[in-house]
Amino acid sequence: MQSIQAIRGMNDILPDQIGWWQRVEQTARELLSSFGYREIRTPVIEKLDLFARSIGESTDIVEKEMYAFPDRKGEMLALRPEATASIVRAFIQHNLQADPLAKKLYAIGPMFRHERPQKGRYRQFYQIDAEAFGIDDPMLDAEVMHMLRLFLERLGLTGVVLHINSLGCQECRQDYRDLLKEFLEKNVAELCPDCQRRRHTNPLRTFDCKVERCQAILADAPVLLHSICGACADHFESVKSYLDQLKTAYVINPRMVRGLDYYMRTTFEVITDRLGAQNAVGGGGRYNGLLRDLGGPDLPGIGFAIGMERLILLLQQEQSEAQRCPKIFVASLGASARDTCFLLAQQLRSLGLETEIDYEGASLKSQMRRADRLGVRHVLIMGDEEISRGEVQCRDMMNKTQTVLPLEAVAPRLQEIYKEEITENGSR
Ligand code: HAM
């Protein structure tokens, strides 16, 4: 019978990879907490309308990439393609505005987009997402990007660049839209059918087009950053000045529009040149107006998301992770020794020592072979003879030495040897 495989573009994260994920998540949690962010967990399925209204009907995400389906009653639902919309919905629904500790929120979890899978681009992928509500001050825009930089620095990631831009506000964007429409009209014959349509529905989205010809034409399009109003320009100047004070390096990228409609003013991306076409490790921006548009209070918002797979791919190119392996193997020889070994293993585990044991009554030779393959540091050996003397043979696999210890002294001795690692990693 043919075995069942995972869905294309959806990956298992296997035990030999999990150390990377845990390190990234732990670093994120620590850093986000120190900046005042608290965790929120929202459902992976929401009403389709939430994403259509926030990300935008004519974005690639909503038009082409959503896992959308009717439920049993015919209501249209979707697997979340990103976290911002869900967090904003939860913020409004639970009136978190009233909770002084819930103005900054973060979430870690899987998102779903039906894109063509390739390296760094998957159909289920994980994001670390941070959102802050109620603050319009450019100080926060700079702080958010500074925090993102610190996070990547803490993980030891090098060679990524922060790109920033301002998309202006509704008003300045209206003027720009007219300019862009005019430009697209002049070049309409050369645009792909999608962009010909976008020039009417949402001209800014032509910048997301993946067709090379369209990209070449758009290289000469008017630049939004050059048409933003005075207030937006001042805001952007302030953001840059705070970034300078925080010594957070950036490049201004006036052509970066981001693929979601809710942004205004500050937008940013962390870019790499080491993942082929998938060059964005993370991105975000300001979205004043989104809360109001989703039926909530008229509060400003800003946030970002990091793609965990892309981040980990980059980390793996630069660093190597020590494989975790159990430290102790308890090997038994004979039926009565087996039970004593079983109890000893439980005692060691309860002290936080990673311990493996044979459950199958294998020969001593094959148990030793397994201990070797697992890469353990100590093997404890007990046969009927040791049991009758109340002793254990303790073999140090690294130094190739063997000592005899009284049974009751084994646990305290190993606890002493591994003391530092137990306190470092917590009791596991
Ligand atoms: P986004 O730019 O669509 O923004 O996604 C953020 C990051 O998620 C990307 O930079 C990338 O690393 C990762 N990503 C996106 N799609 C995929 C995929 N198919 N496979 C692997 N990784 C992927 C947002 O999602 C916004 N919600 C960010 C935000 C938060 N803006 C304000 N607050």
Side-chain angles (χ1 to χ4, degrees), residues 351-368:
L351 294 171
L353 294 163
E354 287 173 40
T355 306
E356 264 303 318
I357 189 179
D358 164 63
Y359 297 98
E360 285 151 17
S363 69
L364 183 63
K365 198 169 154 204
S366 88
Q367 290 183 65
M368 292 305 285

PDB file of all heavy atoms in Angstrom, residues 351-368:
ATOM      1  N   LEU A 351      15.639  13.873  38.065  1.00  0.00           N
ATOM      2  CA  LEU A 351      16.627  14.887  38.478  1.00  0.00           C
ATOM      3  C   LEU A 351      16.995  15.811  37.311  1.00  0.00           C
ATOM      4  O   LEU A 351      17.853  16.668  37.443  1.00  0.00           O
ATOM      5  CB  LEU A 351      17.892  14.196  39.003  1.00  0.00           C
ATOM      6  CG  LEU A 351      17.707  13.385  40.294  1.00  0.00           C
ATOM      7  CD1 LEU A 351      18.964  12.576  40.607  1.00  0.00           C
ATOM      8  CD2 LEU A 351      17.378  14.306  41.458  1.00  0.00           C
ATOM      9  N   GLY A 352      16.386  15.574  36.155  1.00  0.00           N
ATOM     10  CA  GLY A 352      16.653  16.437  35.007  1.00  0.00           C
ATOM     11  C   GLY A 352      17.766  15.916  34.113  1.00  0.00           C
ATOM     12  O   GLY A 352      18.237  16.631  33.226  1.00  0.00           O
ATOM     13  N   LEU A 353      18.182  14.673  34.328  1.00  0.00           N
ATOM     14  CA  LEU A 353      19.268  14.114  33.505  1.00  0.00           C
ATOM     15  C   LEU A 353      18.662  13.321  32.342  1.00  0.00           C
ATOM     16  O   LEU A 353      17.825  12.441  32.559  1.00  0.00           O
ATOM     17  CB  LEU A 353      20.142  13.195  34.362  1.00  0.00           C
ATOM     18  CG  LEU A 353      20.911  13.905  35.475  1.00  0.00           C
ATOM     19  CD1 LEU A 353      21.420  12.908  36.512  1.00  0.00           C
ATOM     20  CD2 LEU A 353      22.079  14.684  34.870  1.00  0.00           C
ATOM     21  N   GLU A 354      19.094  13.643  31.116  1.00  0.00           N
ATOM     22  CA  GLU A 354      18.529  12.948  29.956  1.00  0.00           C
ATOM     23  C   GLU A 354      19.073  11.536  29.911  1.00  0.00           C
ATOM     24  O   GLU A 354      20.280  11.340  29.757  1.00  0.00           O
ATOM     25  CB  GLU A 354      18.882  13.711  28.682  1.00  0.00           C
ATOM     26  CG  GLU A 354      18.082  14.984  28.556  1.00  0.00           C
ATOM     27  CD  GLU A 354      18.547  15.833  27.392  1.00  0.00           C
ATOM     28  OE1 GLU A 354      18.852  15.279  26.334  1.00  0.00           O
ATOM     29  OE2 GLU A 354      18.596  17.062  27.584  1.00  0.00           O
ATOM     30  N   THR A 355      18.184  10.584  30.037  1.00  0.00           N
ATOM     31  CA  THR A 355      18.613   9.195  30.202  1.00  0.00           C
ATOM     32  C   THR A 355      17.859   8.284  29.243  1.00  0.00           C
ATOM     33  O   THR A 355      16.653   8.431  29.065  1.00  0.00           O
ATOM     34  CB  THR A 355      18.318   8.758  31.661  1.00  0.00           C
ATOM     35  OG1 THR A 355      18.934   9.690  32.532  1.00  0.00           O
ATOM     36  CG2 THR A 355      18.842   7.365  31.932  1.00  0.00           C
ATOM     37  N   GLU A 356      18.593   7.358  28.613  1.00  0.00           N
ATOM     38  CA  GLU A 356      17.972   6.366  27.740  1.00  0.00           C
ATOM     39  C   GLU A 356      18.147   4.987  28.354  1.00  0.00           C
ATOM     40  O   GLU A 356      19.075   4.764  29.142  1.00  0.00           O
ATOM     41  CB  GLU A 356      18.613   6.398  26.346  1.00  0.00           C
ATOM     42  CG  GLU A 356      17.857   7.249  25.345  1.00  0.00           C
ATOM     43  CD  GLU A 356      16.409   6.810  25.168  1.00  0.00           C
ATOM     44  OE1 GLU A 356      16.148   5.602  25.111  1.00  0.00           O
ATOM     45  OE2 GLU A 356      15.535   7.701  25.097  1.00  0.00           O
ATOM     46  N   ILE A 357      17.288   4.078  27.964  1.00  0.00           N
ATOM     47  CA  ILE A 357      17.314   2.734  28.539  1.00  0.00           C
ATOM     48  C   ILE A 357      16.848   1.757  27.483  1.00  0.00           C
ATOM     49  O   ILE A 357      16.189   2.142  26.524  1.00  0.00           O
ATOM     50  CB  ILE A 357      16.400   2.708  29.797  1.00  0.00           C
ATOM     51  CG1 ILE A 357      16.572   1.399  30.544  1.00  0.00           C
ATOM     52  CG2 ILE A 357      14.973   2.999  29.465  1.00  0.00           C
ATOM     53  CD1 ILE A 357      15.731   1.299  31.799  1.00  0.00           C
ATOM     54  N   ASP A 358      17.210   0.497  27.666  1.00  0.00           N
ATOM     55  CA  ASP A 358      16.741  -0.536  26.737  1.00  0.00           C
ATOM     56  C   ASP A 358      15.427  -1.105  27.249  1.00  0.00           C
ATOM     57  O   ASP A 358      15.310  -1.442  28.421  1.00  0.00           O
ATOM     58  CB  ASP A 358      17.805  -1.644  26.661  1.00  0.00           C
ATOM     59  CG  ASP A 358      17.248  -2.902  26.053  1.00  0.00           C
ATOM     60  OD1 ASP A 358      16.852  -2.850  24.880  1.00  0.00           O
ATOM     61  OD2 ASP A 358      17.173  -3.930  26.766  1.00  0.00           O
ATOM     62  N   TYR A 359      14.409  -1.141  26.365  1.00  0.00           N
ATOM     63  CA  TYR A 359      13.114  -1.689  26.791  1.00  0.00           C
ATOM     64  C   TYR A 359      12.897  -3.102  26.244  1.00  0.00           C
ATOM     65  O   TYR A 359      11.886  -3.711  26.487  1.00  0.00           O
ATOM     66  CB  TYR A 359      11.960  -0.800  26.280  1.00  0.00           C
ATOM     67  CG  TYR A 359      11.946   0.610  26.826  1.00  0.00           C
ATOM     68  CD1 TYR A 359      12.478   1.658  26.083  1.00  0.00           C
ATOM     69  CD2 TYR A 359      11.400   0.895  28.083  1.00  0.00           C
ATOM     70  CE1 TYR A 359      12.468   2.956  26.576  1.00  0.00           C
ATOM     71  CE2 TYR A 359      11.388   2.187  28.581  1.00  0.00           C
ATOM     72  CZ  TYR A 359      11.920   3.220  27.826  1.00  0.00           C
ATOM     73  OH  TYR A 359      11.903   4.499  28.315  1.00  0.00           O
ATOM     74  N   GLU A 360      13.843  -3.542  25.394  1.00  0.00           N
ATOM     75  CA  GLU A 360      13.547  -4.745  24.612  1.00  0.00           C
ATOM     76  C   GLU A 360      14.287  -6.001  25.059  1.00  0.00           C
ATOM     77  O   GLU A 360      14.229  -7.027  24.390  1.00  0.00           O
ATOM     78  CB  GLU A 360      13.874  -4.465  23.140  1.00  0.00           C
ATOM     79  CG  GLU A 360      12.838  -3.578  22.499  1.00  0.00           C
ATOM     80  CD  GLU A 360      13.412  -2.729  21.384  1.00  0.00           C
ATOM     81  OE1 GLU A 360      14.514  -3.039  20.902  1.00  0.00           O
ATOM     82  OE2 GLU A 360      12.752  -1.739  21.030  1.00  0.00           O
ATOM     83  N   GLY A 361      15.031  -5.905  26.154  1.00  0.00           N
ATOM     84  CA  GLY A 361      15.794  -7.068  26.613  1.00  0.00           C
ATOM     85  C   GLY A 361      16.907  -7.437  25.653  1.00  0.00           C
ATOM     86  O   GLY A 361      17.201  -8.612  25.450  1.00  0.00           O
ATOM     87  N   ALA A 362      17.521  -6.428  25.021  1.00  0.00           N
ATOM     88  CA  ALA A 362      18.590  -6.691  24.050  1.00  0.00           C
ATOM     89  C   ALA A 362      19.850  -7.168  24.776  1.00  0.00           C
ATOM     90  O   ALA A 362      19.995  -6.957  25.987  1.00  0.00           O
ATOM     91  CB  ALA A 362      18.885  -5.414  23.273  1.00  0.00           C
ATOM     92  N   SER A 363      20.760  -7.764  24.016  1.00  0.00           N
ATOM     93  CA  SER A 363      22.021  -8.228  24.620  1.00  0.00           C
ATOM     94  C   SER A 363      22.846  -7.025  25.047  1.00  0.00           C
ATOM     95  O   SER A 363      22.656  -5.909  24.531  1.00  0.00           O
ATOM     96  CB  SER A 363      22.801  -9.044  23.595  1.00  0.00           C
ATOM     97  OG  SER A 363      23.258  -8.163  22.585  1.00  0.00           O
ATOM     98  N   LEU A 364      23.767  -7.260  25.975  1.00  0.00           N
ATOM     99  CA  LEU A 364      24.599  -6.148  26.457  1.00  0.00           C
ATOM    100  C   LEU A 364      25.374  -5.521  25.297  1.00  0.00           C
ATOM    101  O   LEU A 364      25.490  -4.295  25.181  1.00  0.00           O
ATOM    102  CB  LEU A 364      25.568  -6.639  27.540  1.00  0.00           C
ATOM    103  CG  LEU A 364      26.426  -5.541  28.165  1.00  0.00           C
ATOM    104  CD1 LEU A 364      25.562  -4.511  28.881  1.00  0.00           C
ATOM    105  CD2 LEU A 364      27.440  -6.142  29.154  1.00  0.00           C
ATOM    106  N   LYS A 365      25.818  -6.403  24.389  1.00  0.00           N
ATOM    107  CA  LYS A 365      26.599  -5.918  23.249  1.00  0.00           C
ATOM    108  C   LYS A 365      25.764  -4.941  22.411  1.00  0.00           C
ATOM    109  O   LYS A 365      26.224  -3.861  22.034  1.00  0.00           O
ATOM    110  CB  LYS A 365      27.029  -7.113  22.390  1.00  0.00           C
ATOM    111  CG  LYS A 365      28.164  -6.805  21.462  1.00  0.00           C
ATOM    112  CD  LYS A 365      28.701  -8.081  20.862  1.00  0.00           C
ATOM    113  CE  LYS A 365      29.333  -7.753  19.530  1.00  0.00           C
ATOM    114  NZ  LYS A 365      29.369  -8.890  18.648  1.00  0.00           N
ATOM    115  N   SER A 366      24.516  -5.326  22.143  1.00  0.00           N
ATOM    116  CA  SER A 366      23.712  -4.426  21.289  1.00  0.00           C
ATOM    117  C   SER A 366      23.288  -3.170  22.049  1.00  0.00           C
ATOM    118  O   SER A 366      23.139  -2.099  21.465  1.00  0.00           O
ATOM    119  CB  SER A 366      22.546  -5.169  20.641  1.00  0.00           C
ATOM    120  OG  SER A 366      21.434  -5.152  21.477  1.00  0.00           O
ATOM    121  N   GLN A 367      23.121  -3.285  23.388  1.00  0.00           N
ATOM    122  CA  GLN A 367      22.831  -2.063  24.160  1.00  0.00           C
ATOM    123  C   GLN A 367      24.018  -1.109  24.105  1.00  0.00           C
ATOM    124  O   GLN A 367      23.849   0.106  23.962  1.00  0.00           O
ATOM    125  CB  GLN A 367      22.533  -2.416  25.621  1.00  0.00           C
ATOM    126  CG  GLN A 367      21.206  -3.141  25.819  1.00  0.00           C
ATOM    127  CD  GLN A 367      20.934  -3.405  27.289  1.00  0.00           C
ATOM    128  OE1 GLN A 367      20.768  -2.482  28.061  1.00  0.00           O
ATOM    129  NE2 GLN A 367      20.896  -4.675  27.675  1.00  0.00           N
ATOM    130  N   MET A 368      25.225  -1.661  24.208  1.00  0.00           N
ATOM    131  CA  MET A 368      26.424  -0.799  24.158  1.00  0.00           C
ATOM    132  C   MET A 368      26.537  -0.135  22.779  1.00  0.00           C
ATOM    133  O   MET A 368      26.912   1.028  22.658  1.00  0.00           O
ATOM    134  CB  MET A 368      27.698  -1.614  24.451  1.00  0.00           C
ATOM    135  CG  MET A 368      27.803  -2.119  25.867  1.00  0.00           C
ATOM    136  SD  MET A 368      27.673  -0.802  27.110  1.00  0.00           S
ATOM    137  CE  MET A 368      29.261  -0.040  26.973  1.00  0.00           C
TER     138      MET A 368
END
